[in-house]
Amino acid sequence: MPDFRPIEVLLVEDDPGDVLLTREAFSYNKVGNRLHVVHDGEQALMFLRGEGAYEAMPRPDLVLLDLNLPRVDGFEVLQEIKNDPDLRIIPVVILTTSEAEQDILKGYNLHANAYVTKPVDFDQFIRVVRQIDDFFVTVVKLPGK
């Protein structure tokens, strides 16, 4: 029997509008995946390591990572995740406005699992986030707890 437990998703995003859209897209899906939000790269690393205010937070099954972040940028967060033996198995999807070829290459060179450009259109943004959520719930087999 398939495992239908909700997955823990960490959204690392500093734009309140994109956070709101992502929450809306997740709430649309029937599976109650839990979306946790942090607003900069430093908070992301603390959340992932269970440090400080994030000590009691669950380990994410998936990270949605913006690149343009305050304090620690998305590339640095990705590098820290993929260099850490305890965190590197967590899939990371870069979800960003950048369409620059050098950013795409750098993301994959740092072992991002996917690179998705945020659509500017409201409905298309919702659709893309839902597709990412659906893919990681119904298609991909994530490591167990």
Side-chain angles (χ1 to χ4, degrees):
M1 179 160 203
D3 181 10
F4 289 114
R5 74 172 173 80
I7 65 171
E8 305 288 343
V9 179
L10 176 61
L11 173 63
V12 186
E13 174 60 69
D14 64 323
D15 182 312
D18 288 349
V19 170
L20 187 64
L21 289 175
T22 305
R23 283 191 192 283
E24 186 173 316
F26 269 73
S27 69
Y28 174 83
N29 287 338
K30 295 115 195 119
V31 181
N33 292 335
R34 295 181 197 98
L35 184 65
H36 307 275
V37 179
V38 294
H39 303 285
D40 65 50
E42 188 176 284
Q43 291 175 347
L45 293 171
M46 290 179 68
F47 187 106
L48 288 160
R49 294 175 177 143
E51 297 173 347
Y54 305 104
E55 188 175 31
M57 298 307 286
R59 179 187 174 117
D61 298 302
L62 172 66
V63 176
L64 301 179
L65 179 64
D66 188 21
L67 292 179
N68 304 311
L69 298 167
R71 294 194 175 149
V72 179
D73 76 27
F75 287 125
E76 292 175 75
V77 172
L78 178 60
Q79 187 167 14
E80 288 284 327
I81 292 170
K82 296 305 180 177
N83 284 338
D84 185 318
D86 293 329
L87 301 177
R88 71 173 52 133
I89 65 166
I90 300 172
V92 178
V93 175
I94 295 174
L95 185 60
T96 188
T97 55
S98 174
E99 295 182 20
E101 185 68 19
Q102 71 263 24
D103 287 346
I104 296 167
L105 287 170
K106 186 173 183 178
Y108 283 118
N109 279 328
L110 291 172
H111 307 287
N113 296 84
Y115 190 106
V116 178
T117 303
K118 293 178 192 172
V120 290
D121 175 71
F122 171 84
D123 292 328
Q124 187 62 25
F125 183 94
I126 297 288
R127 201 169 12 263
V128 164
V129 172
R130 286 179 187 157
Q131 287 173 339
I132 293 168
D133 186 41
D134 287 341
F135 179 71
F136 279 94
V137 171
T138 60
V139 178
V140 173
K141 181 70 177 160
L142 294 170
K145 297 286 183 194

